[in-house]
Amino acid sequence: MVFRLTAPSASSACHPPVPEVRRRALLGLASAWGLMAAVPSAAGVSAAAAGMRPLVLAGPPATVSYPLIHMTDSGSLDDVAPGSRFQLWQNPDQLRAWAVGGGADFMAMPSNVAANLYAQGVPLRLLNVATWGMLWLVTRDPALHALDDFQGLEIAMPFRADMPDILFGLLTSRLGLDQRRDFFLRYVPTPFDAIQQLLLRRVDHALLPEPAVSMVLRKSESFPVSVVAPTLYRGVNLSQAWGRVLGREPRIPQAGIAAVGKSSVDTGLSCRVRAQYADSLAWCLAHPTQCGELVARHIPMLTPDAVADSLVQSRDRAVDAVDAREELEFFFQCLLADHAALIGGRLPDHDFYA
């Protein structure tokens, strides 16, 4: 059985209700979930804080996860959730399994995946949008600067039927192109497989997210890889293409943080995590070198220099989900037109936006 609470207003979302009302609501939720949670005090401490349970903050090897790593490494949540840790998810199937099976409390995920899980009845609320475009077509040809320049060419594409593939198909279709007919797409499991294909000269072009873009550019210039690797360039920024093709601001509400499972009904805890995420993102952007060293310790497949480079290129900024709703719904409407199943066949209702 799935339980959802009606979303509080934007003005009151981060403030606890009247103590007695909150007491009855939390007791009901505790019964529904089979929990033995302590009832919060009049000060409005959340159920999670009262129990002082550690949280699992999960994310991919991408820029959206950097603040989650800083939050756990710095202990910024220790007063409400001591011992919280970051957990890496490495592919969309693992993300979905954890969201459904309770493998994490707060998860970085593509916005369409969050909408799809919500439509399936998974207890989930989107806290923010933090990534507004991190995809690039990387190429050996410095003359390729537009999507239609790649017509007829082979492109390595990670995560079939997920965010990179979705956005490429959406934008090329608006240009009157068919991504299956007009391009030769070589699907690979992850961005790191695409990096290997580029460095070994097995493909000349690949669609990559940051920090994979920064990694492959660094690797292609470093000895001894540079002896055999081609010279590579940033070709097309998909955020800029989004703006040109659709007549919008050049930013895509691509990914953010969602509260899942029991955490999705703990408004106080969600507000704390959302606020701390914004603070940690600001720290990462202001300290790219230190952030690079920190992230590389937790995600060994990334290098400190590549992480720092990706932050210099970053368009990340934490926007509360309610404030990003108009841009999210425009994106979702685009997906509904061509790939309705990607968001569960309908726009998410107001309870989706924490």
Side-chain angles (χ1 to χ4, degrees), residues 68-349:
L68 298 179
I69 293 171
H70 180 257
M71 290 163 67
T72 55
D73 190 81
S74 65
S76 63
L77 297 174
D78 280 356
D79 60 318
V80 295
S84 295
R85 61 186 176 88
F86 172 77
Q87 184 71 40
L88 181 70
W89 61 259
Q90 301 195 53
N91 58 67
D93 290 336
Q94 190 176 47
L95 153 63
R96 294 181 179 94
W98 288 1
V100 172
D105 300 285
F106 294 89
M107 302 189 72
M109 64 179 68
S111 55
N112 72 290
V113 173
N116 184 287
L117 290 169
Y118 180 81
Q120 294 177 40
V122 175
L124 177 150
R125 301 183 80 186
L126 187 67
L127 303 187
N128 67 22
V129 175
T131 297
W132 294 86
M134 62 173 180
L135 290 168
W136 287 82
L137 273 167
V138 176
T139 176
R140 290 180 62 180
D141 188 344
L144 304 182
H145 298 295
L147 287 173
D148 48 9
D149 290 342
F150 288 81
Q151 190 172 351
L153 302 179
E154 184 180 37
I155 302 169
M157 178 74 69
F159 301 144
R160 185 170 192 161
D162 271 290
M163 186 61 79
D165 195 23
I166 291 166
L167 282 172
F168 184 80
L170 190 159
L171 292 172
T172 53
S173 69
R174 297 305 189 273
L175 293 170
L177 301 172
D178 185 312
Q179 73 181 98
R180 304 288 185 259
R181 183 189 66 236
D182 296 312
F183 305 90
F184 297 97
L185 301 182
R186 180 186 290 194
Y187 287 103
V188 295
T190 72
F192 300 98
D193 295 289
I195 286 177
Q196 185 178 39
Q197 298 284 315
L198 282 169
L199 294 176
L200 294 177
R201 297 176 180 258
R202 292 175 180 168
V203 295
D204 293 337
H205 323 283
L207 185 60
L208 296 174
E210 286 288 5
V213 178
S214 295
M215 280 193 66
V216 75
L217 293 178
R218 284 269 183 177
K219 282 181 176 294
S220 67
E221 297 174 353
S222 63
F223 185 84
V225 177
S226 60
V227 175
V228 295
T231 301
L232 297 169
Y233 305 89
R234 292 179 186 267
V236 179
N237 180 333
L238 258 63
S239 297
Q240 295 296 329
W242 173 273
R244 288 192 300 269
V245 172
L246 299 177
R248 304 280 295 183
E249 290 293 321
R251 59 186 191 183
I252 309 168
Q254 194 167 330
I257 307 303
V260 296
K262 295 186 286 289
S263 296
S264 69
V265 294
D266 191 330
T267 302
L269 181 62
S270 291
C271 284
R272 173 62 185 276
V273 169
R274 182 173 56 192
Q276 193 60 58
Y277 183 94
D279 289 346
S280 287
L281 175 56
W283 181 89
C284 292
L285 292 171
H287 303 87
T289 301
Q290 296 94 316
C291 183
E293 294 167 353
L294 169 64
V295 170
R297 290 200 300 270
H298 289 266
I299 309 179
M301 67 185 71
L302 302 182
T303 63
D305 287 342
V307 171
D309 290 350
S310 70
L311 285 165
V312 173
Q313 294 287 335
S314 175
R315 301 175 60 85
D316 287 11
R317 63 187 185 94
V319 178
D320 289 353
V322 291
D323 296 325
R325 182 170 181 173
E326 186 274 331
E327 289 179 278
L328 283 164
E329 290 191 338
F330 178 85
F331 178 39
F332 294 158
Q333 289 282 12
C334 290
L335 296 180
L336 277 174
D338 300 323
H339 307 284
L342 293 174
I343 61 166
R346 59 183 173 84
L347 291 179
D349 60 30

